[in-house]
Amino acid sequence: MTSPKDERSDTSNRNGGSRNGSTKDVGAVVNAIQLLRHLAHQQAPEGVAAIARATGVSPSSAFNILRTLNNEGFVRFDESSKTYQLGVGLSELTVNLIGQSYADLIQPELERLALNLDILIVLWRITHDNHVSVIARGIPNVAHVDVRLDSRLPELIGACGRAIAGVRDLPDAELRRRFARLRWENPPSFEEYQKGVKEAQERGWALDDNCLYRGISMVASVLTDHHNQPRFAISGIGITAQHNARGLARAGDAIRDTAQFLERSLFPRNLRENTIDE
């Protein structure tokens, strides 16, 4: 257990709003991002009317933003067809990301969550042999539990397990069979575990309170890929005495919102398989 000096970082979240609620998003920037995201998901160029209709941005605003993005090379305008598509200028923004692993790309979000929530944040890779393995951590500036890199657990145990089970939506008989093989310090009943899985499906994050390990509370959410298969889980792991129910719920919401943001960024739907190395 470690206790670094106290420090705070930017407190914004990733659910489309400002991180601390005290600042207001710039509308033109939000609209520009919406237009770029829309074009990133299209298989063919589109005209300004279609883009505006799909994004909800007014045609006049869409036209002005797209014209500016075209001038900067971030979109390309075809004069003959009067359509837009993404431009080569975007490669300038992503050149430093090429060759990085998923863990490298996600690491800044883990650190932000750890500092904002005062809890250890762990990134788990969901393996092909029904386990989860620690591949990155965000360390808080308070006394905290520690989890070693490369630690492995059965994929359906703890908070991560409930969240993964919620995504997999296993039949009751299969869930019961796999639950019976799990080993806990303070085992929940199958009915309690099943309830936790359903809660994870409803709110987007799962809770394990003193079950996997006594005195340890965990919340977790899952990142799914293009095929809606669970690929990674992010968990917050803390000493129970330091985190009340309200604080755990806040952590669960923040981790869920971050997981959803990372899903959109790393596994955009309607695109071919991402080529970033793991």
Side-chain angles (χ1 to χ4, degrees), residues 27-89:
V29 176
V30 172
N31 288 342
I33 292 171
Q34 288 180 321
L35 299 180
L36 290 171
R37 279 182 174 155
H38 173 74
L39 290 174
H41 293 166
Q42 304 314 302
Q43 300 300 317
E46 287 189 344
V48 65
I51 296 170
R53 185 167 54 251
T55 59
V57 178
S58 71
S60 60
S61 293
F63 174 79
N64 289 328
I65 291 170
L66 288 168
R67 183 177 58 183
T68 302
L69 291 173
N70 177 65
N71 292 340
E72 295 295 330
F74 295 151
V75 302
R76 184 166 66 86
F77 178 64
D78 187 300
E79 186 69 39
S80 60
S81 63
K82 307 298 183 184
T83 58
Y84 293 87
Q85 63 187 101
L86 293 183
V88 70

Side-chain angles (χ1 to χ4, degrees), residues 123-263:
L123 177 66
W124 305 80
R125 175 186 285 119
I126 300 168
T127 66
H128 297 296
D129 62 349
N130 297 324
H131 283 75
V132 292
S133 177
V134 178
I135 60 172
R137 300 170 300 177
I139 308 299
N141 284 331
V142 296
H144 59 274
V145 296
D146 194 20
V147 177
R148 298 192 317 274
L149 290 173
D150 298 323
S151 298
R152 277 167 53 90
L153 289 171
E155 73 165 11
L156 295 189
I157 205 165
C160 285
R162 292 172 175 84
I164 294 170
V167 171
R168 294 202 186 283
D169 199 20
L170 299 170
D172 288 351
E174 175 63 12
L175 186 63
R176 185 183 292 273
R177 184 187 70 80
R178 294 182 62 176
F179 172 80
R181 300 171 61 182
L182 303 176
R183 298 292 175 262
W184 318 67
E185 281 193 0
N186 183 31
S189 67
F190 175 72
E191 290 71 24
E192 291 170 334
Y193 177 83
Q194 189 177 41
K195 179 182 177 183
V197 171
K198 293 187 182 302
E199 289 174 345
Q201 290 176 321
E202 293 169 358
R203 65 192 177 194
W205 60 270
L207 170 69
D208 182 288
D209 202 9
N210 290 287
C211 292
L212 181 54
Y213 301 112
R214 288 187 174 89
I216 301 298
S217 297
M218 311 176 190
V219 291
S221 190
V222 173
L223 280 73
T224 60
D225 62 17
H226 309 82
H227 307 292
N228 294 318
Q229 293 301 307
R231 291 286 298 277
F232 301 98
I234 300 177
S235 65
I237 306 175
I239 301 167
T240 299
Q242 293 179 332
H243 303 278
N244 58 26
R246 179 176 296 181
L248 290 172
R250 173 173 171 261
D253 287 344
I255 290 171
R256 176 203 60 210
D257 293 344
T258 297
Q260 291 175 350
F261 162 73
L262 291 169
E263 273 187 7

